[in-house]
Amino acid sequence: MLSFDPLGAQLSPASLLVIAALAGLYMRGLARPRRLRPQTAPWQAGLFFAGLGCLLLAFNAPLSPLGHSLFSVHQINHLLVRLLGPLLIVVAQPWGVWTAGVPRNLRQQIDALSRQPLVRALRSPWSAAALLVATLYVWQVPVVFGLAQRVPSVELTAHLGMAAAGLWFFTLLLDPRDPPEGMRRGARLLCGIVVIVSNILLGSLMTLKEVVLYGATDPGAGFTPLTDETIGGYTIWVPSSMIMIAAIVLVFNGWNRAEERRWNARHTLMQQSNSAALEFPETAQELRLKVTRPNRDLGRTLAVAALSMFVVVMVTAITVVSLG
């Protein structure tokens, strides 16, 4: 039978309250007149509630209590709250709807808070990526993981922190705005690659190790502890990386849409100002000068990605040989 423990592992009103607040604010925003909110397509609302469904599944029974018996299932929880749920929510672009649903006085307070130095620092793509990676690595330390398994409030804090870090990271990564309001496209790609490399590094080490680190497997679960932890490592390694690859594909898609917007505005700008000739070059030489820097940034990003993958493979191989 499900128990109602505010900080418990089976059915948690604390998590239900947070998810209900997000859903209620979204519905309140949708109920506002269209002139006060952005137009929302049915697929966007569907993705938003699918993302909330991932969070709901991860925080409550049957997945949450099963995560206390199987390390591998606990990693599925982490995947849902840290990556998949936040990604689906952010792809739905709910921020304008949420803003429309927030009361005016509270909206002013949030706007003032966004100007604080700490918040501005967190807007850096590298800060967001570091925060997302930290929520993976810190909570995988065996001592910290065991503490979260024993103390419900610690586990709730960990999962809420993962969800917040994921939402913040994907918000910056998939921001439809161009620089300077949004992140540079090359920086977005590099941040996504950093997260993928962190998943591959930790996941591969946990998958290929030959010792039990956590001992979180229930003896009656049908798995040996090492097998359970191997499956959990594979979850961090492959499915998590696939989700990030999907996010990078969305970054490329947004990049392409930004270029289309820029080039579609070409003739309008040229009619308004002669300086548009510099923004939209006509000759091959002008075009080459215009695209040199973006192409160089993209080349450096891909080079760093290749180098990072090589380093991960070498570190993994050396570690496995050392453990063997």
Side-chain angles (χ1 to χ4, degrees):
M1 179 179 294
L2 301 182
S3 62
F4 283 85
D5 179 0
L7 299 175
Q10 294 191 16
L11 192 60
S12 173
S15 65
L16 293 176
L17 181 62
V18 173
I19 295 172
L22 295 177
L25 189 62
Y26 190 80
M27 295 301 296
R28 176 185 168 90
L30 286 179
R32 301 280 287 173
R34 287 192 175 183
R35 60 185 177 81
L36 299 178
R37 62 170 176 84
Q39 185 174 359
T40 302
W43 66 266
Q44 290 178 294
L47 285 179
F48 174 79
F49 286 105
L52 289 186
C54 289
L55 301 182
L56 189 66
L57 179 63
F59 277 106
N60 296 280
L63 203 58
S64 182
L66 189 57
H68 285 252
S69 301
L70 289 171
F71 177 83
S72 54
V73 175
H74 201 94
Q75 297 312 309
I76 295 176
N77 281 346
H78 288 183
L79 183 147
L80 292 174
V81 301
R82 179 174 165 267
L83 295 178
L84 184 57
L87 177 60
L88 292 175
I89 292 173
V90 172
V91 170
Q93 294 294 323
W95 311 112
V97 179
W98 271 339
T99 301
V102 174
R104 179 176 299 181
N105 57 344
L106 182 58
R107 196 181 312 161
Q108 294 173 348
Q109 295 177 11
I110 294 175
D111 185 60
L113 180 63
S114 66
R115 300 192 186 98
Q116 296 299 317
L118 177 60
V119 177
R120 289 201 303 267
L122 290 176
R123 287 178 180 172
S124 164
W126 306 112
S127 298
L131 188 61
L132 186 67
V133 173
T135 58
L136 172 64
Y137 278 72
V138 169
W139 296 107
Q140 296 301 331
V141 175
V143 174
V144 180
F145 181 88
L147 179 64
Q149 289 284 83
R150 295 190 304 270
V151 183
S153 59
V154 175
E155 182 182 45
L156 179 64
T157 300
H159 288 177
L160 288 177
M162 288 180 179
L167 284 171
W168 187 246
F169 174 77
F170 287 120
T171 296
L172 295 179
L173 193 74
L174 302 179
D175 189 347
R177 298 175 299 175
D178 294 324
E181 292 82 6
M183 293 166 51
R184 292 180 60 184
R185 306 292 174 174
R188 302 185 195 207
L189 290 177
L190 196 54
C191 286
I193 291 169
V194 166
V195 175
I196 289 180
V197 169
S198 69
N199 291 339
I200 293 174
L201 180 60
L202 181 61
S204 59
L205 291 177
M206 293 182 63
T207 300
L208 300 175
K209 67 180 178 58
E210 298 181 356
V211 295
V212 176
L213 294 179
Y214 300 93
T217 306
D218 192 317
F223 294 104
T224 64
L226 183 59
T227 300
D228 185 28
E229 292 182 12
T230 298
I231 297 173
Y234 182 83
T235 302
I236 298 173
W237 184 356
V238 179
S240 297
S241 298
M242 294 301 294
I243 292 174
M244 284 305 307
I245 289 174
I248 288 179
V249 170
L250 292 174
V251 171
F252 273 112
N253 188 46
W255 197 339
N256 181 63
R257 289 200 304 269
E259 289 297 315
E260 288 180 352
R261 288 195 303 268
R262 188 171 72 89
W263 287 100
N264 286 338
R266 171 181 179 177
H267 296 293
T268 302
L269 288 177
M270 292 186 68
Q271 291 174 357
Q272 295 176 351
S273 172
N274 291 333
S275 64
L278 298 177
E279 180 67 17
F280 299 104
E282 291 284 352
T283 68
Q285 178 64 20
E286 290 172 340
L287 180 60
R288 185 163 53 251
L289 293 173
K290 181 66 178 178
V291 302
T292 294
R293 181 175 178 181
N295 286 347
R296 183 173 61 246
D297 291 343
L298 179 59
R300 288 174 178 173
T301 299
L302 297 178
V304 170
L307 178 61
S308 301
M309 296 298 179
F310 175 77
V311 171
V312 167
V313 171
M314 294 302 298
V315 169
T316 302
I318 292 172
T319 303
V320 171
V321 171
S322 301
L323 292 176

